[in-house]
Amino acid sequence: MGEFKVHRVRFFDYMPSAIRSMAFNSQTERLAVARADGAVEIFNFADNYFQEKIIAGRDGRSIEALCWVGCRLFSAGLDGEITEYDLENLRPRYSIEAYGGPIWTISSNSQGMQLAAGCEDGTVKMFEVLEDRIQFQTNLSRQKGRIISLSWHPSGAQIAAGMMDMIKIFDSETGQATHRLLVDRGVGTSKSQEVVVWSVAFLSDHTIISGDSAGKVQIWDGLTGTLIRTHLVTKWDVLVLAVSQDESSVIAGTSEGTIVQFQFLSSAVGQQDKLWVQTRTLKNHSHDVRALVHTDTAVVSGGMDTQLVVRPLLDKVEKYSQESALRKIAFPHKNLVSCAKKAGLLLFQFPDHLELWRLGESDRNGTPGESLPVKRKPEKLIQLKTKGEDHICCSALSPCGSWLAYATVAAVRLYRLQLSSNNVSIQKVSKLPRELKSVHQLCFSSDSCRLFASSSFSSVVVVALDQTDCKYLHTLKHKSGSKQPIHILSPSEDGQWLATANTDCEIHVFNLRKMKVSVDIFEFSLKQKEYSEWSRQLQRQGLHPLWLQRDTPVTQITFNPNNPAHIMLHDVFMFCIIDQSLPLPEAKSKFYNQRILRSLPEPQRLRESHAFKACKNFQHLLSVNLLEDLSLVVVERPLVDIVSQLPAPVRQKLFAT
């Protein structure tokens, strides 16, 4: 595997934002996640739960609800606006004022023709979904209190609305309330407090299920407006409900971090009558569960503790398969760290600012695992605050450390850096080419003379850099017809090639000397324009089962310039070097990491050695980079550091209680 001097970096104070809402599109298998900072993330459940898109947030944007209408995504929040998103250009397409005060919830009918919004002023606003926008239609009968939650009957004829102390059922055609369902306030001191109906679900058989601030999940008959059964599941709030597609299962998320499942089952063997029965309780969160999705095979949850959790339902998936793994997605799948490998600098991306750090130094060498004394401590050189309300969507630092760039949905900023041993100066490049707009990713060439920016319609803008300014050179376009955004840019070390990857799973390699696409694409030989022999062998033999069972995606990959046969890659939990000169591991062989392998007797160690050299000494990896002096920079963000910065949970379970 080789030995490296490692810069172990733990001063990137990255803090993910809480999850506020989720919406699942069962047709495309895409999950939309809204966070407290206004960002929206899209996960592809058909592609190993990969986070394929991020729409950056902005100051003051509060998203309370998300809703899919076909392949279109809408959100609403306390600013009183409904927003539709441009999922190709990763930005809000437009926003429309509902004129009802803060919006607490939105929901579309199953036909995808109407969108309902529950507002602070007691109205349910009805919008018609047109081809390129939404248009206000009418208000349902105005109520005295705010509308907290909404659910359409699958027929689209009725809407259930959760309010303070009650649930109203509306006729969607006439707009009139047909039933009023009064919710019990509870017992004791809580009887004097209003009950908030945080969530409602309207089923095909006209059953209504509600979750409220008194800790109750209640089952109602929507035809008669009568209460069927009450389940007290917590002393705190039931914040959210989700229903399976076949309506045989309902899950409820609570403010103490538990998720309770109810199933529609026969009370006894052989009986036809069915009841909603509490069947299991899951505990995957330390804080409020604010958002839930019930897929065919899993419970997906998120909340204040910032983690997206995919909990498989083991009666719905094959045991010991990839689908049966519990997944906790705590970090973004895009890179938030840029490294100037020739200058020993790191750039950290936060939502509203950037930090530039100089790495520390040591003049000692040691044995594997030894901590070396630091001659010069790491130093924060610059903290660059963004202008305006828009958050940063991407950033980059040139390999020589002389250029810094970042982009928001509104603008691109480019800065010239000058560093010395004692001070640093930063100068903004005032005039940028007009082609630099709607940018999703940024990176610099290996010689720091060009800036690449992925733009709309899956294109790449190429800009030349000199001492003080920049000049537009070319826009690289492919011929596949895909308009999906490019999320990876990778220039070659010799400056001749640029590889791009978009969310349509297309890889394009551009010849930068001819400024055109060279090949449309595993290791790929650019000289032979075909997969390498090693890659073909890997595809024939397949990967080791333990490698395939990993539940986090590889987020970074590179070659060792001193040994091109070494491929270096990492995910959140593991750093790995693939040595192409060694045999691939057989499916039945042991897949030892390096620490265990070193502890084995030499004959066994040689027998078990294979191409995959995995290192698990580092945890929660955000970035691994190889500097010009062949030392490694490993950026870690231990999860315990994030948990320590969260607010206290409403309830902490004590031993034996």
Side-chain angles (χ1 to χ4, degrees), residues 139 292 320 390 466 535 578 588 610 644 652:
N139 290 328
L292 276 179
Y320 309 115
D390 294 315
D466 60 25
S535 183
I578 302 175
K588 295 181 180 179
H610 53 73
S644 67
Q652 290 181 316

Side-chain angles (χ1 to χ4, degrees), residues 347 354 394-397 403-407 413-415 442 444 451:
L347 181 69
L354 301 169
C394 59
S395 58
L397 183 65
W403 295 95
L404 183 157
Y406 77 85
R413 309 284 184 194
L414 179 65
Y415 296 87
L442 291 163
F444 291 90
L451 173 66

Side-chain angles (χ1 to χ4, degrees), residues 53-243:
K53 297 177 183 179
I54 299 178
I55 301 173
R58 63 178 302 174
D59 293 343
R61 181 195 291 166
S62 169
I63 298 177
E64 291 295 318
L66 288 172
C67 180
W68 288 99
V69 180
C71 293
R72 297 164 67 179
L73 181 63
F74 296 87
S75 75
L78 301 184
D79 59 1
E81 293 183 340
I82 300 174
T83 300
E84 183 178 358
Y85 293 93
D86 184 341
L87 299 181
E88 292 177 354
N89 292 310
L90 304 184
R91 60 193 305 153
R93 176 171 280 142
Y94 64 86
S95 294
I96 184 170
E97 175 68 50
Y99 296 105
I103 300 174
W104 292 93
T105 179
I106 54 172
S107 180
S108 71
N109 61 4
S110 58
Q111 296 79 19
M113 303 296 292
Q114 288 180 302
L115 194 67
C119 300
E120 177 76 16
D121 68 354
T123 58
V124 177
K125 309 278 184 181
M126 304 291 285
F127 293 85
E128 183 183 5
V129 180
L130 304 176
E131 188 174 344
D132 57 347
R133 67 186 192 281
I134 59 172
Q135 182 173 288
F136 175 74
Q137 269 188 324
T138 186
N139 290 328
L140 302 188
S141 176
R142 187 167 183 166
Q143 306 303 304
K144 290 184 178 180
R146 65 174 68 123
I147 307 296
I148 301 294
S149 52
L150 289 172
S151 180
W152 288 79
H153 186 267
S155 68
Q158 293 175 303
I159 304 176
M163 303 169 62
M164 310 297 285
D165 287 332
M166 70 181 74
I167 301 165
K168 287 286 186 77
I169 301 176
F170 295 92
D171 185 305
S172 61
E173 287 291 327
T174 65
Q176 298 302 310
T178 58
H179 289 91
R180 185 179 69 160
L181 287 57
L182 296 178
V183 178
D184 290 336
R185 289 193 173 185
V187 295
T189 56
S190 63
K191 203 150 193 177
S192 62
Q193 297 178 349
E194 286 184 309
V195 173
V196 183
V197 181
W198 288 117
S199 188
V200 289
F202 208 159
L203 307 187
S204 301
D205 63 357
H206 288 86
T207 297
I208 293 175
I209 303 175
S210 64
D212 59 46
S213 59
K216 306 188 302 294
V217 172
Q218 295 188 301
I219 316 297
W220 306 81
D221 185 332
L223 293 174
T224 61
T226 55
L227 178 65
I228 299 173
R229 190 163 184 182
T230 296
H231 298 269
L232 184 63
V233 298
T234 176
K235 295 179 181 179
W236 307 94
D237 294 42
V238 175
L239 296 173
V240 61
L241 299 172
V243 185

Side-chain angles (χ1 to χ4, degrees), residues 304-547:
M304 279 291 296
D305 66 4
T306 77
Q307 295 188 79
L308 180 67
V309 178
V310 182
R311 175 72 178 253
L313 298 171
L314 296 181
D315 55 333
K316 300 288 187 181
V317 297
E318 182 183 344
K319 288 185 178 179
Y320 309 115
S321 66
Q322 194 173 23
E323 281 191 331
S324 67
L326 172 68
R327 298 167 188 268
K328 291 189 175 184
I329 302 171
F331 302 100
H333 293 164
K334 73 171 186 177
N335 203 353
L336 299 175
V337 180
S338 296
C339 179
K341 60 183 181 180
K342 298 177 182 178
L345 301 176
L346 290 177
L347 181 69
F348 299 144
Q349 178 183 317
F350 295 86
D352 60 352
H353 72 279
L354 301 169
E355 289 182 2
L356 182 68
W357 286 74
R358 179 187 279 135
L359 289 168
E361 287 183 359
S362 176
D363 55 4
R364 291 269 305 276
N365 292 316
T367 58
E370 181 185 353
S371 295
L372 302 179
V374 176
K375 176 184 175 183
R376 189 188 70 197
K377 291 185 177 181
E379 180 186 3
K380 183 161 78 169
L381 303 176
I382 293 173
Q383 179 166 314
L384 184 63
K385 186 89 168 76
T386 60
K387 290 187 176 181
E389 297 179 336
D390 294 315
H391 290 175
I392 298 170
C393 60
C394 59
S395 58
L397 183 65
S398 66
C400 69
S402 297
W403 295 95
L404 183 157
Y406 77 85
T408 66
V409 294
V412 177
R413 309 284 184 194
L414 179 65
Y415 296 87
R416 176 75 173 171
L417 303 174
Q418 291 183 324
L419 304 171
S420 66
S421 57
N422 296 323
N423 56 44
V424 56
S425 65
I426 181 168
Q427 180 182 358
K428 181 183 173 184
V429 178
S430 56
K431 291 185 179 180
L432 296 181
R434 56 185 179 141
E435 289 81 5
L436 279 177
K437 58 184 179 180
S438 190
V439 169
H440 314 133
Q441 286 295 325
L442 291 163
C443 80
F444 291 90
S445 60
S446 58
D447 60 4
S448 303
C449 291
R450 281 178 287 187
L451 173 66
F452 304 108
S454 69
S455 189
S456 55
F457 302 109
S458 206
S459 63
V460 180
V461 176
V462 184
V463 173
L465 307 173
D466 60 25
Q467 290 298 318
T468 56
D469 60 1
C470 60
K471 179 184 177 183
Y472 168 73
L473 288 181
H474 193 73
T475 299
L476 302 171
K477 299 179 180 179
H478 57 78
K479 298 178 181 179
S480 73
S482 173
K483 296 181 180 179
Q484 291 300 311
I486 291 172
H487 64 289
I488 299 175
L489 293 168
S490 181
S492 63
E493 285 292 322
D494 62 6
Q496 183 177 353
W497 308 97
L498 176 71
T500 70
N502 65 22
T503 54
D504 261 342
C505 299
E506 296 178 349
I507 296 174
H508 303 279
V509 180
F510 295 92
N511 186 322
L512 295 175
R513 292 174 186 167
K514 297 180 180 179
M515 290 296 180
K516 66 177 184 179
V517 67
S518 176
V519 283
D520 290 355
I521 327 251
F522 12 170
E523 182 184 37
F524 193 88
S525 170
L526 295 176
K527 290 183 179 179
Q528 282 81 33
K529 296 188 178 181
E530 61 183 19
Y531 291 114
S532 67
E533 181 54 37
W534 180 84
S535 183
R536 292 179 187 276
Q537 181 187 350
L538 181 62
Q539 292 175 61
R540 286 194 297 267
Q541 182 173 327
L543 290 163
H544 194 280
L546 288 179
W547 180 270

